[in-house]
Amino acid sequence: MANLRGRKRRWRTAASAGAVAAVLVAGTVPAVAAGPGHGVARGDQGPGKSGRGLDKEALRAALAGLPDENVTGGLIRMSGTDGRWSGTAGPSVPVADSHFRIGSVTKIFTSTVLLQLAAEGRLTLDDTVQELMPGLLPAGYFPVTVGQLLSHTSGLQIMTCATEDMSPREAVDASLACGEPTEPGKATRYNGINYFIAGLIIEQVTGRTYGSEVRTRILTPLRLRDTYVPALDDWSIPAPYTRGLVAVPGSSGELTDVSVQNPYGWAEGGMISNAPDLARFFTALYRGRLLPPTQQKDLFRMPAAASGDTQFSYGGLQRTEFPDGTVVWGKSGHVPGYTSGTFATRDLRRLLVYALNPTDRSPELPYVLRIAGAAFDVPVPATAG
């Protein structure tokens, strides 16, 4: 089995992984701009759809044709009051509860821990990085708040100068040494550095490792036995797992197995999970089992002043509105060989977990759109056909 060990790759940020990782549909379906009171359930059910059952034939059709040259396999898991359904396709997915690398879906575990710390009075969303971690940001930087980190409105530099062999602190330092920041709070710019700093803040405030805090606060209480934060030197993935197979640039087109790879993403994108665990986590999170009322509101509260087509809540969630008015909240993720996401209506009428194994020969956006259309019974652009 080939792996990615030994390659000193530059950090993937919104410029590459963000094409799918940052959003459900990569900007094809516009997010609704934030306004006063945004984040409540206004319009989040979708017009005239209460109680409508799942279209299981459409869900099967969303996976039909796999494997092909662009995606070697995929899985869908649907839950919620409208019904349950799961399905798999392709040789890269051995069983429906296979493990996979969740990439930036990790960010929602990170934001949940920070919101819990806020509930405990150990920090606030208005606390600044400069107050919580003196010396991390260079002198002269604008104050950057915890809320701005979580909502990707920090204005900090994209992580173009970090490499995957660096520790989280080294990666942040290298990124801050390249380019210049912009004024925080003015625009949304999806950026992994925000959640690396969030992970460092968790460790600074608690005196414990990021992984131990996620385990103690979320994984153990919810009995998420197939979800974990790998140690930074643990490149393995437990069986059964979906196989990440990618086309190597410059080769004759053969696929290389990259299932074993560096979990460098850490608090930004390093976790491993499976579909049942992700469904359980997001269900508990949306039902308020992990956060008290004030922080539950923050989970869905959107920045009021930031511009940008894609925006994220103070809990790191993206709010996506489809053309028919259906609204979903969630997060997607991407690392080599793996694309996944978890999205749900606010009332948990429908909750989708999907995972694909893209070969990187061609964007997987059409496949994601097909799945989204079937899962939420919504129209999708023609590019999904």
Side-chain angles (χ1 to χ4, degrees), residues 29 39 66 86 104 152 193 199 203 217 252 282 290 303 310 313 347:
V29 179
L66 298 182
S86 65
S104 288
H152 294 287
I193 194 173
E203 294 193 336
R217 293 171 173 274
S252 59
F282 275 81
L290 294 171
T310 303
S313 74
D347 58 5

Side-chain angles (χ1 to χ4, degrees), residues 150-174:
L150 297 182
S151 61
H152 294 287
T153 58
S154 70
L156 294 173
Q157 296 95 312
I158 297 291
M159 300 184 74
T160 53
C161 291
T163 57
E164 296 173 11
D165 60 343
M166 294 178 175
S167 70
R169 177 60 187 259
E170 290 170 341
V172 170
D173 289 343

Side-chain angles (χ1 to χ4, degrees), residues 4 20 34-35 42 55 58 69 99 110 118 169 178 186 193 220 249 266 287 317 334 346 348 361-362 372 378:
L4 302 182
V20 174
R42 178 187 58 81
D55 187 340
E69 66 176 8
H99 299 94
T110 304
R169 177 60 187 259
C178 287
K186 299 297 185 183
I193 194 173
T220 299
W266 193 56
R287 283 180 175 168
L317 297 173
H334 178 85
R346 179 68 182 88
L348 290 173
R361 286 179 174 137
S362 182
V378 294

